[in-house]
Amino acid sequence: TPSLQPTAARGKEYGGPSGGSPKPGPLVADYLRHYPQGIEIMRSEACICLILITAVLLVYWQVGDHEFVNYDDNVYITDNAQVQKGLTSKGIIWAFTTSHTGNWHPLTWISHMLDCEFYGLNPKGHHLTNVLFHAANAILLFVVLRWMTGAIWRSGLVAALFALHPLHVESVAWAAERKDVLSTFFWMLTMMAYVYYVKRPGTRRYLLVLVCFSLGLMAKPMLVTLPFVLLLLDYWPLNRFQPRVTTDSVVDQPLGFRSSGDDKLPILKAVLEKTPLFLMSLLSCLVTVIAQQKAGAVSTLEIVPFKLRIANGLVSFVAYMGKMVWPLDLAVFYPHPGSELQIWKPVAAGLFLLIVSTVALRVAHRCRYVLVGWLWYLGTLVPVIGLVQVGEQAMADRYTYVPLIGLFIVVVWGFADLVKGWRSRRWVVSITAAVTVLALIAGSWLQVGHWKDSIKLFKHALAVTSNNYVAHYTLGNALALQANLAEAVSHYNKALQINPNFAEAHNNLGNALALQGNLAGAVSHYNKALQIKPDHAEAHRNLAVGLDRQGKHQEAIQHYVEALRISPDDAQSHNNLGVALAEQGRFKEAV
């Protein structure tokens, strides 16, 4: 197949010589001019896109009947008054200035506001928006891989694995994880803009890369690793560092990216080229750390020592790979093992990672996609592997949404190389791909069903994990909302048996006991919550209510005042304090 590098004989990029009839665009022209079967290729690509959309809708259409869950959905949507107002000028200013939830992601907030503008609090619209973004991400991944490598069916299979893998259900079926699908949408657009820039470098095309990248960072800081991924793409498949080797695995020619011996790009120049992207990533990291520390979401080294973070991170790298191969027993929350983590696990995991990395380096000279895919996986997981411990989980399915793309590339390209010389290669590849895709569809369908409501979600989490105090606590919250207080109290107690220092569980157990008429037990647990977390505004308010009912009005007023010192905008505490003051005849203060 002839090279598709632009030459003088091909005329201008956007058409032929002036005065002639309109010419097709550059991408279409490449197909029609250099491929006798150009129309067939375009039909194949359209067919793959249609299959991807159909498969995603088949798996995820059931989320239209799902409810919001009481784990982050309340923080992002159902209990967020600012988001529920829809898209307003004040809301946009709030989105760009708030660090609510411990993140700075204004585009994510605006996205939720738009959903409330159109759908109100009907969960169907919020869920289906996630599904549409996920389908778009799969198609964009296929397009950009196809554009870079020229391999139609390999690119399509990678996109199918991305679209249908059960590990990615959490990012799509969970309304609060809009930031995952939205940021990945801009990740894919940034990659496409970068490939467009590489084809013919220019200031405007580079600015397009910067714009897409900045929008992605404003949806979720997960994109901080994207500049490193672009460097990997320079190595393969864009081949900007060296001429293409004949053993590298691509079926068709990439459109316009065939490297020659005269157009090598020094690695240092490639790094300097991405300096603005690295600076934006650094700024995003600083903003994120500040926002998370302000929200109290970052665990200190006293709570989770650095050695333990490294050990859990090594185990998580391997655990994600295991779940990629065998995606069973997936849960919305995996408890952190803490000091109970057995030493042999991180040692074995580290040794395994070292062996795989060595193999990837050894075969890089003839299978560069192996090194690129492996480093893609390792590098994009670094921000969420737990070195900066945010939250109490050991790992999370949603963290694999982008990183697994690297492993999917290794698997698909590697399998194609493995069967390259087989006589029945087409049948083997077709049957293997079909069986894999059908198995993933079935697995994802079942996993999506677990997200129907909070009770079903956390009962499943308890069934597939152990010592899951967060699942017990959140299930207790869901049961309490349904007035099933006896079961709620049971799950709160189980959560506290596992983690006695869980302030929120003490507070909510106090609420459940108060509703059962056990006021003394409620006050006891409110006090325990405040011993663990003295700045727990809600526990102060609830304790004040309990003391007020016990006739201890002055003590109640003190706790209302403390609650308002911590949370000045708590309307309920203001109201309750006013009532307490009025009962003591202090009407001016009450007003």
Side-chain angles (χ1 to χ4, degrees), residues 470-524:
V470 170
H472 279 296
Y473 163 73
T474 316
L475 179 57
N477 291 342
L479 292 166
L481 286 174
Q482 294 189 353
N484 192 343
L485 296 178
E487 282 194 56
V489 168
S490 173
H491 283 285
Y492 288 140
N493 282 322
K494 289 177 181 177
L496 290 170
Q497 288 172 9
I498 301 169
N499 183 5
N501 294 320
F502 195 178
E504 284 74 15
H506 280 292
N507 178 70
N508 287 14
L509 175 55
N511 291 340
L513 292 173
L515 290 171
Q516 287 183 324
N518 185 354
L519 194 57
V523 169
S524 173

Side-chain angles (χ1 to χ4, degrees), residues 154-168:
R154 298 182 195 190
S155 302
L157 186 53
V158 169
L161 295 175
F162 168 82
L164 303 173
H165 201 283
L167 272 178
H168 292 168

Side-chain angles (χ1 to χ4, degrees), residues 426-436:
R426 292 180 180 273
W427 283 103
V428 171
V429 171
S430 299
I431 293 173
T432 303
V435 170
T436 301

Side-chain angles (χ1 to χ4, degrees), residues 56-102:
V56 168
L57 293 179
L58 177 65
V59 169
Y60 288 101
W61 192 256
Q62 57 183 307
V63 300
D65 296 324
H66 288 192
E67 301 174 6
F68 291 118
V69 297
N70 64 339
Y71 190 54
D72 279 4
D73 280 358
N74 52 336
V75 178
Y76 278 87
I77 305 167
T78 57
D79 292 342
N80 193 313
Q82 194 67 59
V83 168
Q84 291 178 26
K85 293 176 184 178
L87 193 63
T88 63
S89 56
K90 290 184 178 179
I92 293 174
I93 294 173
W94 176 84
F96 277 91
T97 55
T98 187
S99 59
H100 190 52
T101 72

